[in-house]
């Protein structure tokens, strides 16, 4: 990867995360997940895709196409919505520094 | 994801943080994105487009696809609940956000997402993919960086301004008329965050305070030129309309445009040529030469009534290097509803007959409407060839946009130069007399007489 990509790779590594949505007490019902971007760490603000929330909308997916709707408050989704955000070690964290240069990559057989 | 569990996943060497609980602050969309989406992908051709996470032939219920379409331009702002004792190490620079329009068409981008979402994050978290900004319509952006289902919401970053967040993935895959387009649909980050600030301001007072913590757009203090003009060849393609047929072309002289025969097939036919940059212009012209149907070289030459101003005239290449980075510019997919698209790849093959290049192949995504458009060397900016077609398997009907064929400019340049200087069409007429080995190549046949016919 060329030198020009260094800042972009660092930014991506620090900001990338994965978001999971599921129903409280119903893990067997499955979860919905997508990628996301950590906008800030204190407080932790994350922007992700809205598609994973469609099954949780109280008014159904039609709420997304309601005339003029530019945003919907968080309580548009049911109370049983639970969210998890997962990310890798940041460059600023001790864990991230400790792992730098380690060759632990693997390629599972197809 | 319905993926088969593979052998136990092993960490990538970087321990992941355990998942942290979060709360949904709001769902938001960018109105301008939705408007441009409706213009580009709606209307009469709406049924041709599919953005589902599955291929068009896979079983996806209509309700499911409708839900996905409704949610396509929607994003969510979450707040992660703080963990105990972790705050000290959770500091990090805030994301830098590129203003809308700061990244020019053709500029390199890097997408970062987790294919298949939360499936196997040890393996898939923050997978990178490189491409360029292929096209834009307001905050609706397209990139040829390859993205997979689950990368929706992933960030797309720029090399310049360095590491700036440009956009988020709205739809990683799209199909038109059941053909995989090979472009990823993005929503620009800056207007999305502006919408988030406005929305938070209309919620409870606590949410208003959060609005001030959203990362601002990069401004002049960062000391970077925000209006990068981009590579000059990104503006080199023109739209060629001949009756009801349209395609792409490239101006090789102020009044001379090269396109494909199947775009402008008959000599003396009137043709309308449109350029979009630096300013929109429409100029009439006529076809002065088109190869015969029997010629393997699918070429037409258009003489314009007026000069095309402001378009850089390309420098023709004299040599080709397999493996070199290349760029295709053309009006594929969107035609005149959007400016030309830029896609990148490598020169995957240079087919020669008697040590003379007669066909170029690339890995760039090439779509219907790109025919006649220019193929450039990304490094030198030289014009390598004219795009003639992508690939279709006639047995299955499948189209492969990432395998495409161009006519080397070295085949055309002497004749074009002669015509430009003298008006003599003799050199161009020679293209109708290509040798049988060249015809065999363009029929995708093996050179041996007893070879099996290609299915393509």
């Amino acid at each position: 990867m060329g030198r020009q990509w260094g800042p972009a790779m660092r930014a991506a590594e620090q900001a990338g995360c994965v978001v999971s949505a599921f129903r409280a007490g119903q893990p067997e019902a499955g979860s919905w997940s997508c990628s996301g971007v950590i906008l800030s760490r204190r407080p932790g603000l994350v922007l992700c895709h809205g598609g994973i929330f469609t099954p949780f909308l109280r008014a159904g997916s039609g709420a997304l196409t309601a005339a003029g709707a530019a945003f919907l408050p968080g309580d548009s989704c049911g109370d049983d919505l639970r969210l998890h955000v997962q990310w890798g070690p940041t460059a600023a964290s001790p864990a991230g520094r400790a792992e730098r240069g380690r060759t632990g990559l693997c390629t599972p057989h197809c | 994801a319905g993926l088969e569990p593979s052998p136990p996943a092993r960490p990538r060497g970087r321990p992941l943080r355990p998942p942290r609980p979060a709360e949904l602050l709001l769902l938001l969309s960018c109105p301008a994105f939705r408007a441009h989406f409706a213009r580009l992908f709606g209307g009469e051709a709406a049924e041709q487009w599919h953005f589902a996470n599955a291929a068009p032939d896979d079983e996806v219920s209509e309700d499911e696809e409708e839900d996905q379409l409704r949610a396509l331009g929607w994003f969510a702002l979450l707040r992660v609940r703080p963990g105990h004792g972790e705050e000290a190490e959770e500091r990090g620079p805030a994301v830098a956000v590129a203003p809308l329009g700061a990244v020019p068409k053709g500029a390199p981008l890097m997408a970062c997402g987790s294919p298949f979402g939360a499936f196997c994050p040890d393996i898939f978290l923050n997978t990178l993919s490189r491409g360029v900004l292929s096209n834009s319509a307001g905050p609706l952006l397209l990139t040829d960086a390859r993205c997979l289902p689950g990368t929706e919401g992933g960030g797309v970053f720029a090399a310049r301004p360095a590491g700036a967040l440009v956009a988020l993935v709205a739809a990683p895959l799209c199909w038109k008329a059941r053909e995989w387009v090979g472009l990823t649909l993005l929503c620009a980050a800056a207007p999305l965050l502006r919408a988030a600030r406005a929305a938070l301001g209309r919620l409870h007072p606590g949410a208003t305070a959060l609005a001030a913590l959203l990362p601002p757009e990069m401004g002049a203090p960062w000391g970077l030129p925000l209006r990068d003009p981009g590579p000059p060849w990104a503006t080199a393609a023109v739209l060629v309309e001949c009756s009801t047929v349209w395609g792409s072309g490239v101006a090789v002289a102020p009044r001379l445009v090269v396109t494909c025969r199947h775009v402008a097939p008959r000599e003396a036919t009137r043709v309308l040529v449109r350029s979009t940059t630096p300013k929109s212009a429409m100029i009439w012209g006529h076809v002065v030469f088109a190869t015969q149907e029997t010629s393997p070289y699918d070429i037409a030459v258009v003489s314009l009534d007026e000069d095309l101003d402001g378009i850089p005239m390309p420098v023709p290449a004299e040599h080709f290097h397999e493996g070199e980075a290349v760029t295709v510019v053309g009006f594929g997919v969107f035609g005149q509803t959007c400016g030309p698209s830029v896609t990148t790849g490598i020169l995957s093959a240079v087919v020669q007959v008697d040590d003379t290049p007669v066909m170029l192949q690339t890995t760039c995504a090439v779509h219907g409407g790109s025919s006649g458009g220019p193929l450039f060397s990304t490094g030198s900016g030289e014009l390598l060839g004219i795009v003639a077609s992508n690939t279709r398997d006639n047995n299955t009907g499948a189209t492969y946009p990432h395998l495409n064929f161009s006519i080397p400019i070295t085949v055309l340049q002497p004749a074009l130069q002669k015509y430009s200087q003298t008006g003599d069409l003799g050199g161009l007429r020679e293209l109708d007399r290509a040798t049988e080995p060249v015809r065999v190549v363009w029929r995708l046949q093996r050179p041996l007489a007893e070879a099996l016919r290609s299915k393509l």
Side-chain angles (χ1 to χ4, degrees), chain B residues 288-302:
Chain B
V288 292
F289 170 77
T291 48
Q292 295 172 1
E293 282 288 337
T294 51
S295 171
Y297 295 123
D298 183 351
I299 282 292
V301 178
V302 174

Side-chain angles (χ1 to χ4, degrees), chain A residues 72-93:
Chain A
L72 296 170
D75 60 9
S76 302
C77 289
D79 295 332
D80 58 348
L81 169 65
R82 296 291 181 270
L83 296 173
H84 275 163
V85 179
Q86 191 170 23
W87 60 88
T90 64
S93 74

Side-chain angles (χ1 to χ4, degrees), chain A residues 35 44 46 50 61 69 72 85 99, chain B residues 13 20 27 34 67 74 78 80 150:
Chain A
S35 304
V46 169
S61 65
L72 296 170
V85 179
E99 294 300 329
Chain B
R20 289 262 290 272
L27 290 164
R34 290 165 70 178
D67 279 355
W74 283 81
L78 319 178
V80 181

Side-chain angles (χ1 to χ4, degrees), chain B residues 8-78:
Chain B
R10 296 172 60 188
R12 271 161 106 173
R14 299 176 304 162
L16 297 183
R17 298 306 172 90
R20 289 262 290 272
E23 63 175 311
L24 175 65
L25 293 175
L26 55 89
L27 290 164
L28 70 149
S29 73
C30 170
F33 174 91
R34 290 165 70 178
H36 283 286
F37 180 84
R39 183 173 66 84
L40 289 178
F41 300 99
E44 292 174 3
E47 73 285 352
Q48 292 193 325
W49 283 99
H50 293 274
F51 301 92
N53 280 343
D57 293 330
D58 290 354
E59 284 185 18
V60 177
S61 73
E62 281 187 19
D63 286 348
E64 202 175 340
E65 192 166 344
E66 182 71 16
D67 279 355
Q68 287 181 11
L69 195 58
R70 284 174 169 162
L72 190 141
W74 283 81
F75 293 84
L77 184 64
L78 319 178

Side-chain angles (χ1 to χ4, degrees), chain B residues 51-371:
Chain B
F51 301 92
N53 280 343
D57 293 330
D58 290 354
E59 284 185 18
V60 177
S61 73
E62 281 187 19
D63 286 348
E64 202 175 340
E65 192 166 344
E66 182 71 16
D67 279 355
Q68 287 181 11
L69 195 58
R70 284 174 169 162
L72 190 141
W74 283 81
F75 293 84
L77 184 64
L78 319 178
R79 177 164 52 190
V80 181
R81 298 200 177 109
H84 296 291
E86 290 185 344
E87 291 196 356
E89 67 184 56
E90 289 301 333
R91 289 190 194 124
V95 169
V97 180
L100 183 60
V103 175
K105 204 184 283 188
L109 295 178
M110 176 177 283
C112 175
S114 300
F116 317 114
F119 177 81
C120 238
D122 283 339
I123 303 295
F124 294 125
L125 182 76
N126 290 348
T127 297
L128 303 175
S129 177
R130 250 174 63 178
V132 296
L133 179 60
S134 294
N135 214 331
S136 63
L140 190 157
L141 312 180
L142 289 149
T143 180
D144 62 352
R146 312 265 178 98
C147 294
L148 288 168
T151 59
E152 297 91 341
V156 179
F157 300 85
R160 282 198 316 163
L165 177 67
V166 175
L168 275 75
V169 175
L173 303 172
C174 57
W175 287 264
K176 186 183 185 188
R178 307 179 79 79
E179 291 179 8
W180 178 48
V181 172
L183 297 176
T184 291
L185 186 59
L186 313 173
C187 179
L192 206 51
L193 288 172
R194 249 176 268 159
R197 271 187 216 99
L200 285 171
R202 292 169 61 181
L203 294 175
H204 54 85
T208 307
L210 285 176
L213 300 170
L214 291 174
E217 293 171 30
M218 292 173 79
W222 290 76
L224 289 163
L226 290 181
R227 302 291 168 194
D228 185 344
W233 35 257
T235 62
V238 294
L239 181 70
V240 177
E241 294 177 51
C242 183
S243 185
T244 57
V245 180
W246 58 268
S248 302
V250 59
V252 293
R255 289 196 181 199
L256 205 61
V257 166
V258 176
T259 183
C260 281
R261 172 187 62 214
H262 71 266
V263 175
R266 285 175 302 281
E267 291 180 11
T269 308
R270 293 289 280 170
V271 169
L272 187 62
V273 169
R274 296 175 193 261
S275 67
T276 54
T277 47
K279 58 182 180 182
S280 185
M282 287 196 316
I283 297 176
W284 283 97
H286 66 281
V287 182
V288 292
F289 170 77
T291 48
Q292 295 172 1
E293 282 288 337
T294 51
S295 171
Y297 295 123
D298 183 351
I299 282 292
V301 178
V302 174
S303 175
L304 301 178
D305 296 349
E306 302 167 45
D307 283 3
L308 262 173
D309 291 327
I311 293 186
M313 294 302 137
V315 176
E318 294 178 356
H319 304 284
F320 308 101
H321 308 285
E322 286 182 351
E324 74 170 308
V326 294
T327 300
V328 165
V329 189
F331 284 81
V333 188
F334 299 110
Q336 68 177 83
T337 57
C338 207
S341 294
V342 178
T343 55
T344 53
I346 64 166
L347 191 60
S348 48
V350 179
V351 182
Q352 304 194 42
V353 170
D354 296 333
D355 295 329
T356 302
V358 297
M359 171 196 274
L360 307 177
Q361 296 171 27
T362 86
T363 60
C364 303
V366 164
H367 314 101
S370 297
S371 292

